[in-house]
Amino acid sequence: MNLFLVNPKSDFTMDNSFRIDQENLQHLFTTLQKRGYETVGPTLADEAIVYDTIASVEDLPVGWTDEVGPGKYRVANGGGLSSFGYTLSPQSWKRFLYPPTRKLFSAKKNGKSFELTQENDGEKKHAFIGVRPCELSAILIQDRVFSSGEYHDDNYLALRRNAFIVAVNCSQAGDNCFCVSMKTGPAAKDGYDIALTEVVDGDNHYYVAASGTEKGREILTEIGAATASGNEIAEAENVVRRTTAEIGKSLDTRGLPKLLAENLEHARWDDVAKRCLTCGNCTMVCPTCFCSTVEDTTDLSGQTAGRSRRWDSCFTMDFAKVSGGNFRTSAKSRYRQWLTHKLSSWVEQFGISGCVGCGRCITWCPVGIDLTAEVKAIRGTKVKQEKGG
Ligand code: SF4
Ligand code: SF4
């Protein structure tokens, strides 16, 4: 079994697709809004392309693109008609489904006891517009994380059930993308309600749209999408083929969980520890990382109290602090924990890799540490160890 195959369908075609233009896209926004969805999508803010609430196609980052490298992110306006001509936002969609901080409950003093109020985001309905295929795979991975095993995250699952996903296939490859190695892109194959491929051919600007669910098909019909012609489908398929060919970075996933598990004392962990600042950026931007901590607070009068959950990181010192001390004090042990969890023990836990190849951890690492290079170095000089330290 290929554990790195998130999307089960390997053949890519756009048969039975629709053609929509920018006017239909606006109609899609309003139709979703009328159905009670908050439309969330890419927009330009703070010199970055961020995912935020957007009201209309006017809010999309038309003409903008992003340039990335190890430890590098820039936006640039190259002009043109493209609304989705960038690769990725620094943020991922997990901040809507699994918010960075979430109040779990609040308590108010009432005589000698407390009244508890449980907080719940589950009623919110998000329509995510512009989900990249690797990001869709990350959502499918988090679905497993939060729904498998004994403990479920009901808030996540309620938000997820209410979400409508408009995926957009990639029309450009970022320098840090390696979705082809992880079989998660650059085309979405599963898990979306609607998948768009944007085609810009001179002044001719349109999207080829496929429905992935009955609801998606119903909405495409409602917005007046026409059947796409053979030529339009061929153009859209070319967009994806070109992007596939542009992806330069790769990760050799052959036997990777075993390779890492057998090399816990490899000299490369010391090498990367000299560069790693243990800032935790890589975990914050990663669309699949899910570690959290819980904090209790009270006001000074002792009348109200609350419990919140917030994202945590295996790179922070407190993360591994237990009653007997800290079991992961060195940078080496923390980086190793992160990488081996992503690419090795995650597979044992959830039956799938914890990495979708989005490259965000490379882009947002202040010293440009690249996990594909770290794995390559370990694979190149692997030494079998008896046990980890
Ligand atoms: S480990 Fe890095 S490349 Fe992989 S999914 Fe997380 S951020 Fe993306
Ligand atoms: S690998 Fe980079 S981003 Fe991650 S903790 Fe180390 S320095 Fe920070």
Side-chain angles (χ1 to χ4, degrees):
M1 178 171 58
N2 185 351
L3 295 167
F4 291 86
L5 186 64
V6 177
N7 294 318
K9 297 178 214 157
S10 57
D11 51 326
F12 171 68
T13 69
M14 294 185 192
D15 296 346
N16 306 317
S17 295
F18 298 86
R19 176 203 201 275
I20 66 174
D21 56 22
Q22 206 71 349
E23 208 177 300
N24 297 125
L25 190 64
Q26 178 56 51
H27 201 170
L28 175 65
F29 275 62
T30 42
T31 302
L32 290 166
Q33 286 156 0
K34 273 188 204 146
R35 288 184 180 220
Y37 289 101
E38 177 185 339
T39 41
V40 181
T43 193
L44 192 73
D46 302 329
E47 296 182 50
I49 289 161
V50 300
Y51 300 147
D52 208 342
T53 304
I54 51 173
S56 75
V57 293
E58 303 289 315
D59 294 327
L60 293 169
V62 177
W64 286 89
T65 192
D66 52 357
E67 294 162 7
V68 302
K72 179 192 156 190
Y73 176 90
R74 301 276 182 280
V75 285
N77 193 334
L81 298 173
S82 186
S83 297
F84 299 92
Y86 59 90
T87 308
L88 280 175
S89 164
Q91 305 149 324
S92 69
W93 304 92
K94 83 174 175 184
R95 81 185 189 91
F96 300 98
L97 295 170
Y98 180 62
T101 57
R102 185 169 98 72
K103 192 81 165 280
L104 300 175
F105 65 78
S106 49
K108 199 168 173 202
K109 201 159 186 191
N110 184 4
K112 289 190 174 170
S113 63
F114 280 93
E115 272 171 25
L116 293 186
T117 310
Q118 198 145 6
E119 307 285 337
N120 201 339
D121 290 328
E123 301 305 311
K124 285 187 188 166
K125 284 175 78 178
H126 293 115
F128 298 137
I129 295 163
V131 179
R132 294 303 189 191
C134 64
E135 299 184 303
L136 194 47
S137 297
I139 293 173
L140 298 179
I141 290 173
Q142 286 213 320
D143 289 354
R144 282 195 197 202
V145 169
F146 293 124
S147 68
S148 62
E150 207 175 330
Y151 303 104
H152 297 177
D153 185 326
D154 292 334
N155 196 67
Y156 173 91
L157 295 174
L159 287 168
R160 185 65 179 93
R161 266 194 300 275
N162 282 341
F164 186 92
I165 295 186
V166 180
V168 177
N169 293 328
C170 297
S171 52
Q172 72 166 42
D175 283 355
N176 292 335
C177 297
F178 55 102
C179 59
V180 170
S181 298
M182 309 314 283
K183 297 187 170 56
T184 60
K189 299 178 190 117
D190 207 5
Y192 56 81
D193 292 289
I194 294 174
L196 305 177
T197 308
E198 185 174 32
V199 179
V200 181
D201 182 13
D203 289 340
N204 199 7
H205 178 214
Y206 60 91
Y207 304 86
V208 171
S211 59
T213 59
E214 203 37 57
K215 204 190 286 177
R217 172 168 279 272
E218 191 185 298
I219 288 183
L220 282 173
T221 311
E222 195 175 327
I223 65 170
T227 303
S229 70
N231 272 350
E232 287 161 348
I233 291 174
E235 281 302 323
E237 286 175 347
N238 275 339
V239 167
V240 171
R241 266 190 221 104
R242 265 200 312 272
T243 310
T244 307
E246 274 175 18
I247 290 175
K249 196 177 279 298
S250 63
L251 177 68
D252 182 353
T253 60
R254 288 171 304 153
L256 189 48
K258 192 162 179 276
L259 173 85
L260 293 177
E262 288 180 348
N263 283 277
L264 296 173
E265 290 306 317
H266 196 284
R268 187 70 182 190
W269 302 118
D270 291 306
D271 184 278
V272 71
K274 286 185 201 141
R275 291 171 277 137
C276 176
L277 309 173
T278 68
C279 65
N281 268 15
C282 46
T283 55
M284 296 295 114
V285 295
C286 178
T288 65
C289 274
F290 58 83
C291 288
S292 64
T293 188
V294 170
E295 287 171 342
D296 289 344
T297 49
T298 54
D299 70 1
L300 287 175
S301 69
Q303 295 301 304
T304 57
R307 176 166 290 176
S308 305
R309 182 183 69 186
R310 68 167 171 78
W311 290 355
D312 203 350
S313 167
C314 51
F315 281 96
T316 65
M317 274 302 274
D318 280 354
F319 190 77
K321 197 167 157 190
V322 293
S323 60
N326 196 315
F327 58 86
R328 220 179 274 135
T329 52
S330 66
K332 169 185 169 180
S333 62
R334 280 180 268 156
Y335 185 86
R336 181 178 56 193
Q337 159 61 24
W338 177 69
L339 195 69
T340 55
H341 189 209
K342 284 277 122 182
L343 300 172
S344 178
S345 53
W346 199 297
V347 176
E348 259 174 62
Q349 256 184 305
F350 303 112
I352 206 158
S353 167
C355 175
V356 296
C358 72
R360 281 189 180 92
C361 56
I362 309 168
T363 305
W364 293 96
C365 174
V367 290
I369 292 172
D370 176 342
L371 79 170
T372 66
E374 300 310 315
V375 168
K376 200 171 175 185
I378 291 171
R379 192 183 285 284
T381 52
K382 58 189 173 189
V383 279
K384 196 170 174 180
Q385 300 293 327
E386 289 305 314
K387 59 179 181 176

PDB file of all heavy atoms in Angstrom, residues 20-32:
ATOM      1  N   ILE A  20     -17.180  28.483 -16.415  1.00  0.00           N
ATOM      2  CA  ILE A  20     -17.747  29.664 -15.775  1.00  0.00           C
ATOM      3  C   ILE A  20     -16.813  30.853 -16.003  1.00  0.00           C
ATOM      4  O   ILE A  20     -15.611  30.680 -16.188  1.00  0.00           O
ATOM      5  CB  ILE A  20     -18.039  29.462 -14.266  1.00  0.00           C
ATOM      6  CG1 ILE A  20     -16.779  29.259 -13.449  1.00  0.00           C
ATOM      7  CG2 ILE A  20     -18.984  28.308 -14.016  1.00  0.00           C
ATOM      8  CD1 ILE A  20     -17.058  29.202 -11.949  1.00  0.00           C
ATOM      9  N   ASP A  21     -17.393  32.029 -16.013  1.00  0.00           N
ATOM     10  CA  ASP A  21     -16.574  33.229 -16.155  1.00  0.00           C
ATOM     11  C   ASP A  21     -16.599  34.011 -14.840  1.00  0.00           C
ATOM     12  O   ASP A  21     -17.199  33.562 -13.858  1.00  0.00           O
ATOM     13  CB  ASP A  21     -17.036  34.082 -17.354  1.00  0.00           C
ATOM     14  CG  ASP A  21     -18.511  34.448 -17.242  1.00  0.00           C
ATOM     15  OD1 ASP A  21     -19.045  34.426 -16.108  1.00  0.00           O
ATOM     16  OD2 ASP A  21     -19.127  34.757 -18.267  1.00  0.00           O
ATOM     17  N   GLN A  22     -15.983  35.195 -14.844  1.00  0.00           N
ATOM     18  CA  GLN A  22     -15.873  35.960 -13.601  1.00  0.00           C
ATOM     19  C   GLN A  22     -17.264  36.345 -13.072  1.00  0.00           C
ATOM     20  O   GLN A  22     -17.473  36.417 -11.873  1.00  0.00           O
ATOM     21  CB  GLN A  22     -14.997  37.206 -13.859  1.00  0.00           C
ATOM     22  CG  GLN A  22     -14.287  37.758 -12.645  1.00  0.00           C
ATOM     23  CD  GLN A  22     -13.126  36.879 -12.133  1.00  0.00           C
ATOM     24  OE1 GLN A  22     -12.939  35.734 -12.558  1.00  0.00           O
ATOM     25  NE2 GLN A  22     -12.360  37.410 -11.199  1.00  0.00           N
ATOM     26  N   GLU A  23     -18.208  36.566 -14.003  1.00  0.00           N
ATOM     27  CA  GLU A  23     -19.574  36.910 -13.581  1.00  0.00           C
ATOM     28  C   GLU A  23     -20.235  35.736 -12.868  1.00  0.00           C
ATOM     29  O   GLU A  23     -20.887  35.893 -11.836  1.00  0.00           O
ATOM     30  CB  GLU A  23     -20.374  37.288 -14.830  1.00  0.00           C
ATOM     31  CG  GLU A  23     -21.488  38.268 -14.560  1.00  0.00           C
ATOM     32  CD  GLU A  23     -22.163  38.634 -15.870  1.00  0.00           C
ATOM     33  OE1 GLU A  23     -21.473  39.163 -16.773  1.00  0.00           O
ATOM     34  OE2 GLU A  23     -23.365  38.350 -15.982  1.00  0.00           O
ATOM     35  N   ASN A  24     -20.040  34.531 -13.439  1.00  0.00           N
ATOM     36  CA  ASN A  24     -20.573  33.336 -12.767  1.00  0.00           C
ATOM     37  C   ASN A  24     -19.909  33.149 -11.402  1.00  0.00           C
ATOM     38  O   ASN A  24     -20.545  32.714 -10.441  1.00  0.00           O
ATOM     39  CB  ASN A  24     -20.296  32.053 -13.573  1.00  0.00           C
ATOM     40  CG  ASN A  24     -20.964  32.021 -14.918  1.00  0.00           C
ATOM     41  OD1 ASN A  24     -20.305  31.836 -15.928  1.00  0.00           O
ATOM     42  ND2 ASN A  24     -22.267  32.207 -14.942  1.00  0.00           N
ATOM     43  N   LEU A  25     -18.602  33.494 -11.343  1.00  0.00           N
ATOM     44  CA  LEU A  25     -17.878  33.327 -10.070  1.00  0.00           C
ATOM     45  C   LEU A  25     -18.491  34.236  -9.006  1.00  0.00           C
ATOM     46  O   LEU A  25     -18.689  33.837  -7.861  1.00  0.00           O
ATOM     47  CB  LEU A  25     -16.388  33.626 -10.264  1.00  0.00           C
ATOM     48  CG  LEU A  25     -15.482  33.261  -9.081  1.00  0.00           C
ATOM     49  CD1 LEU A  25     -15.473  31.766  -8.817  1.00  0.00           C
ATOM     50  CD2 LEU A  25     -14.037  33.726  -9.339  1.00  0.00           C
ATOM     51  N   GLN A  26     -18.824  35.455  -9.426  1.00  0.00           N
ATOM     52  CA  GLN A  26     -19.490  36.369  -8.493  1.00  0.00           C
ATOM     53  C   GLN A  26     -20.842  35.796  -8.059  1.00  0.00           C
ATOM     54  O   GLN A  26     -21.220  35.844  -6.894  1.00  0.00           O
ATOM     55  CB  GLN A  26     -19.671  37.754  -9.149  1.00  0.00           C
ATOM     56  CG  GLN A  26     -20.391  38.762  -8.278  1.00  0.00           C
ATOM     57  CD  GLN A  26     -19.715  38.955  -6.919  1.00  0.00           C
ATOM     58  OE1 GLN A  26     -18.517  39.191  -6.847  1.00  0.00           O
ATOM     59  NE2 GLN A  26     -20.477  38.809  -5.827  1.00  0.00           N
ATOM     60  N   HIS A  27     -21.527  35.204  -9.024  1.00  0.00           N
ATOM     61  CA  HIS A  27     -22.820  34.583  -8.734  1.00  0.00           C
ATOM     62  C   HIS A  27     -22.630  33.430  -7.738  1.00  0.00           C
ATOM     63  O   HIS A  27     -23.459  33.210  -6.848  1.00  0.00           O
ATOM     64  CB  HIS A  27     -23.432  34.084 -10.044  1.00  0.00           C
ATOM     65  CG  HIS A  27     -24.901  33.885  -9.979  1.00  0.00           C
ATOM     66  ND1 HIS A  27     -25.674  33.636 -11.066  1.00  0.00           N
ATOM     67  CD2 HIS A  27     -25.747  33.855  -8.931  1.00  0.00           C
ATOM     68  CE1 HIS A  27     -26.929  33.485 -10.700  1.00  0.00           C
ATOM     69  NE2 HIS A  27     -27.006  33.612  -9.410  1.00  0.00           N
ATOM     70  N   LEU A  28     -21.512  32.716  -7.877  1.00  0.00           N
ATOM     71  CA  LEU A  28     -21.204  31.626  -6.932  1.00  0.00           C
ATOM     72  C   LEU A  28     -21.066  32.180  -5.509  1.00  0.00           C
ATOM     73  O   LEU A  28     -21.608  31.625  -4.554  1.00  0.00           O
ATOM     74  CB  LEU A  28     -19.905  30.910  -7.368  1.00  0.00           C
ATOM     75  CG  LEU A  28     -19.367  29.827  -6.433  1.00  0.00           C
ATOM     76  CD1 LEU A  28     -20.334  28.642  -6.331  1.00  0.00           C
ATOM     77  CD2 LEU A  28     -18.009  29.303  -6.928  1.00  0.00           C
ATOM     78  N   PHE A  29     -20.336  33.311  -5.404  1.00  0.00           N
ATOM     79  CA  PHE A  29     -20.181  33.954  -4.085  1.00  0.00           C
ATOM     80  C   PHE A  29     -21.558  34.276  -3.490  1.00  0.00           C
ATOM     81  O   PHE A  29     -21.856  33.921  -2.360  1.00  0.00           O
ATOM     82  CB  PHE A  29     -19.413  35.281  -4.214  1.00  0.00           C
ATOM     83  CG  PHE A  29     -17.922  35.156  -4.206  1.00  0.00           C
ATOM     84  CD1 PHE A  29     -17.253  34.448  -5.185  1.00  0.00           C
ATOM     85  CD2 PHE A  29     -17.168  35.761  -3.217  1.00  0.00           C
ATOM     86  CE1 PHE A  29     -15.872  34.347  -5.180  1.00  0.00           C
ATOM     87  CE2 PHE A  29     -15.789  35.668  -3.186  1.00  0.00           C
ATOM     88  CZ  PHE A  29     -15.134  34.970  -4.189  1.00  0.00           C
ATOM     89  N   THR A  30     -22.395  34.955  -4.284  1.00  0.00           N
ATOM     90  CA  THR A  30     -23.683  35.408  -3.724  1.00  0.00           C
ATOM     91  C   THR A  30     -24.602  34.219  -3.424  1.00  0.00           C
ATOM     92  O   THR A  30     -25.320  34.235  -2.433  1.00  0.00           O
ATOM     93  CB  THR A  30     -24.374  36.428  -4.639  1.00  0.00           C
ATOM     94  OG1 THR A  30     -24.241  35.995  -5.982  1.00  0.00           O
ATOM     95  CG2 THR A  30     -23.759  37.790  -4.550  1.00  0.00           C
ATOM     96  N   THR A  31     -24.537  33.191  -4.266  1.00  0.00           N
ATOM     97  CA  THR A  31     -25.374  32.005  -4.011  1.00  0.00           C
ATOM     98  C   THR A  31     -24.971  31.355  -2.700  1.00  0.00           C
ATOM     99  O   THR A  31     -25.816  30.964  -1.886  1.00  0.00           O
ATOM    100  CB  THR A  31     -25.217  30.999  -5.186  1.00  0.00           C
ATOM    101  OG1 THR A  31     -25.590  31.674  -6.381  1.00  0.00           O
ATOM    102  CG2 THR A  31     -26.072  29.767  -5.010  1.00  0.00           C
ATOM    103  N   LEU A  32     -23.671  31.252  -2.474  1.00  0.00           N
ATOM    104  CA  LEU A  32     -23.194  30.642  -1.223  1.00  0.00           C
ATOM    105  C   LEU A  32     -23.581  31.513  -0.029  1.00  0.00           C
ATOM    106  O   LEU A  32     -24.018  31.011   1.009  1.00  0.00           O
ATOM    107  CB  LEU A  32     -21.671  30.435  -1.272  1.00  0.00           C
ATOM    108  CG  LEU A  32     -21.204  29.337  -2.244  1.00  0.00           C
ATOM    109  CD1 LEU A  32     -19.701  29.422  -2.491  1.00  0.00           C
ATOM    110  CD2 LEU A  32     -21.553  27.958  -1.699  1.00  0.00           C
TER     111      LEU A  32
END
